[in-house]
Amino acid sequence: MREFYPSDFRDPAAVAARAAARAYPEARRAKVAAMLRKQAERFELLDVSHESLARFERPNSIAVVAGQQPGLFGGPLYTLYKALTAISFARELERVSGVPAVAIFWIASDDHDFEEVRRAFLNDGVAEPAAVEYPTDLLPRGVSVSRITFGPAVEAVVRGAESFLPISEYREDLLARLRQAYTPGRGWAEAFARFLGRIAAAEGAIVFDASDEEAKEIAMPVFEREIALRGKSSEVARERGEELSSRGYHAQIARAGNELNLFYHGREREAVRVAGAGFRLATSNQELTESKLLALIRNHPADVSPGVLLRPLMQDHLFPTAAYVGGPAEVAYWAQVHALYPLFEAEPPAVVPRAGATLLEAKVSKVLERFRLEWPDLAGDVEVVIGKALRGLLPEDFPTLFERERGVIRDAFGRIENAVLGFDPSLQSAVETSANRTKHDAEALEKKLMQVWKRRQEESVQQIRRARGHLLPHGGLQERSISLLGYAARYGPGIVGRLRASLGAPGSHVLVPLGGDTG
């Protein structure tokens, strides 16, 4: 795969050297730095961003970029893991090269997939996590997240999250920060920046909202070049996808070759297609000449955004990017993204797989120990896991045991009855009374044992199900769905530093035991 990924992230010194050698005009750096400062001020992040901003402003600094859509209440845990991986990788680049490096957390606010961002999952002690959702019917269709402002309903959504948070010394401070960020009248992306963005900024990242009109004005040469190429970028991506498929790999991004990797944001977000000598908007079917399309985006830069293939080119125009940190799907689609760089006369950054983690709380660890389970065991069929765990823990089958022993007791009393009646037939009543009492006592004991056994079975089943809900909710990795909120409420703000210190090398997945106070 080396030909599809020309820069090896495992050689950080070479990654830094390649980035430092790329042209990045100081005039552009000054414009971008000013834009980033304005955003930090708007999101009230200057107090935790000043050192990172100063590092970016240094003439030779380079950047490590990671990004994600602005999920409700910060999105799933892997969003944070992306940011922390970028921060750690930037520090490693600086350590080995001496070149100042800073992490950029890119808020992909021009995305319009609300099903992906409108809910947060929290563990509340039941078998599967509970979803807290912003109502679908309150979200306008076809527009990007950046154009959504929260209404009064967000207060009820915050109260919904509050109902699932454990009582702790950190709970009220967390809720205060949540309410301050997610309040009526505030934009969706801004709320994300104020909540999760503050966490990332405090750890060393610069938070960047990609819908910023000033940023798009700076990146205008990328959009203009994409228009001039008239679908050529999609064509080379399609060809690269076909090459990947022919060699047994999967092409992540399908392209016909007649579309731009641009979206125009008018009344709604629309893809732009090549149509004859001009272009056509995919939803409204409005036809535009090249000059008209250029005039629209030049006059209102906020109304254009890059598609998935063009976003890296916008990123590398705005920032002196040494590396991009992505999840598995992102890393895979970069095999096609790289094909676009020659068209823009640009050099691609290194692609770094984010680190991952599964958080193991003490109460869950005890369940695993009791049933002699490893956490990956829970990824299989939960009924099979439960059956195996119970067989290994519980005693033999009591119904079979008592049925067998009842026969032994009957035989024993038969022998006793024959011996006693042979000695004195008048003792028959006493023998029968004793036999019935023994039978009754055995049945009572069996009933009590079966009640205890059943209760223990039910408790054990629930414990295993709850453990699975914590570690592999809905059968998937914890990081793919669970929110940071519950952990932040239980363990305090120190949980983020612990995660940063515990994450493994890029691409690794580690088990992080949590026990005691981390605040």
Side-chain angles (χ1 to χ4, degrees):
M1 296 293 288
R2 175 57 64 87
E3 64 191 280
F4 301 125
Y5 296 88
S7 182
D8 190 345
F9 73 91
R10 293 168 295 186
D11 186 353
V15 170
R18 288 183 63 166
R22 296 188 193 106
Y24 186 69
E26 288 308 308
R28 189 188 307 165
R29 184 187 298 275
K31 287 183 180 180
V32 172
M35 177 268 297
L36 291 173
R37 282 193 175 274
K38 289 178 186 176
Q39 287 198 11
E41 184 175 11
R42 178 160 59 94
F43 301 146
E44 297 184 353
L45 299 179
L46 277 176
D47 60 321
V48 289
S49 301
H50 58 89
E51 290 186 10
S52 300
L53 289 166
R55 178 175 272 102
F56 179 83
E57 290 169 340
R58 293 174 62 176
N60 62 335
S61 71
I62 56 179
V64 177
V65 182
Q68 187 62 35
Q69 293 94 331
L72 183 67
F73 302 151
L77 282 165
Y78 75 78
T79 304
L80 177 61
Y81 300 158
K82 274 188 180 179
L84 295 178
T85 303
I87 292 165
S88 294
F89 196 74
R91 290 175 179 172
E92 177 65 8
L93 289 184
E94 185 166 326
R95 185 189 69 80
V96 301
S97 69
V99 177
V102 62
I104 307 286
F105 188 79
W106 177 297
I107 302 176
S109 50
D110 279 321
D111 190 81
H112 74 309
D113 186 354
F114 281 102
E115 278 304 305
E116 187 171 350
V117 302
R118 74 179 185 91
R119 60 175 60 87
F121 288 94
L122 291 90
N123 262 318
D124 64 343
V126 297
E128 292 291 354
V132 180
E133 304 178 340
Y134 195 80
T136 305
D137 57 358
L138 298 181
L139 298 172
R141 296 187 180 279
V143 301
S144 67
V145 176
S146 65
R147 302 195 174 194
I148 297 297
T149 299
F150 285 113
V154 74
E155 294 177 329
V157 180
V158 172
R159 287 194 298 272
E162 179 181 358
S163 69
F164 294 118
L165 295 181
I167 302 299
S168 74
E169 61 181 295
Y170 309 111
R171 185 173 187 268
E172 289 309 313
D173 179 64
L174 176 65
L175 284 170
R177 289 190 287 117
L178 204 63
R179 294 188 191 104
Q180 190 277 335
Y182 290 87
T183 188
R186 178 151 290 152
W188 191 291
E190 181 176 348
F192 178 91
R194 286 172 174 267
F195 185 69
L196 191 80
R198 170 162 284 275
I199 294 171
E203 291 295 319
I206 295 174
V207 176
F208 168 65
D209 177 3
S211 67
D212 189 289
E213 183 167 24
E214 189 174 348
K216 291 176 180 179
E217 186 175 356
I218 298 170
M220 190 59 64
V222 177
F223 304 139
E224 293 171 341
R225 177 62 177 162
E226 174 67 5
I227 291 171
L229 287 169
R230 296 187 55 79
K232 180 65 175 177
S233 60
S234 290
E235 183 180 330
V236 299
R238 185 196 65 207
E239 292 170 352
R240 174 61 59 84
E242 291 171 351
E243 182 181 359
L244 288 165
S245 297
S246 70
R247 295 171 62 171
Y249 301 109
H250 177 64
Q252 292 288 109
I253 302 171
R255 285 291 183 269
N258 66 339
E259 63 268 89
L260 300 189
N261 291 291
L262 283 181
F263 290 95
Y264 178 71
H265 300 253
R267 292 185 177 179
E268 56 186 308
R269 180 179 185 263
E270 298 186 73
V272 183
R273 312 289 188 200
V274 177
F279 302 93
R280 179 183 294 112
L281 300 182
T283 305
S284 65
N285 285 321
Q286 180 183 355
E287 294 193 359
L288 301 168
T289 63
E290 181 172 330
S291 60
K292 175 64 174 177
L293 179 58
L294 287 169
L296 285 174
I297 66 173
R298 286 168 178 167
N299 292 333
H300 301 282
D303 290 343
V304 66
S305 70
V308 64
L309 288 168
L310 194 65
R311 190 210 59 77
L313 278 303
M314 175 183 174
Q315 159 198 291
D316 295 347
H317 185 86
L318 289 174
F319 305 115
T321 313
Y324 178 77
V325 174
E330 292 171 288
V331 170
Y333 74 58
W334 268 83
Q336 289 172 268
V337 169
H338 280 127
L340 276 66
Y341 274 79
L343 300 177
F344 290 79
E345 299 179 352
E347 288 290 325
V351 180
V352 182
R354 68 163 175 83
T358 293
L359 308 185
L360 176 63
E361 295 187 85
K363 60 185 178 182
V364 180
S365 180
K366 290 177 181 177
V367 173
L368 297 184
E369 291 174 6
R370 181 188 176 202
F371 294 103
R372 301 181 181 88
L373 294 170
E374 299 292 334
W375 76 270
D377 295 338
L378 297 171
D381 185 328
V382 69
E383 299 303 326
V384 174
V385 174
I386 289 170
K388 180 180 178 181
L390 294 184
R391 284 193 299 273
L393 177 71
L394 295 174
E396 64 180 290
D397 184 356
F398 279 125
T400 301
L401 170 66
F402 275 89
E403 181 61 35
R404 183 174 67 245
E405 297 305 323
R406 272 194 292 267
V408 174
I409 293 172
R410 283 194 302 269
D411 292 343
F413 266 94
R415 292 191 297 272
I416 292 171
E417 182 178 17
N418 290 334
V420 170
L421 295 183
F423 174 74
D424 187 347
S426 67
L427 294 175
Q428 182 172 1
S429 177
V431 172
E432 291 176 352
T433 299
S434 180
N436 289 335
R437 183 183 301 115
T438 301
K439 180 183 177 184
H440 177 269
D441 290 344
E443 290 174 347
L445 176 61
E446 180 183 10
K447 183 177 180 180
K448 288 181 179 179
L449 282 170
M450 292 306 296
Q451 288 174 342
V452 172
W453 187 25
K454 184 178 179 181
R455 185 171 67 250
R456 287 185 179 180
Q457 279 186 309
E458 291 172 349
E459 291 173 353
S460 297
V461 168
Q462 290 306 311
Q463 287 174 354
I464 294 171
R465 290 189 185 279
R466 284 195 294 269
R468 186 176 191 261
H470 276 271
L471 299 176
L472 292 152
H474 310 298
L477 285 174
Q478 177 194 86
E479 62 185 28
R480 299 297 305 174
S481 59
I482 300 298
S483 167
L484 174 68
L485 290 181
Y487 297 102
R490 278 188 288 276
Y491 301 101
I495 183 68
V496 178
R498 175 179 287 193
L499 292 176
R500 176 172 45 77
S502 300
L503 284 180
S508 66
H509 190 100
V510 297
L511 187 67
V512 181
L514 299 177
D517 190 303
T518 67

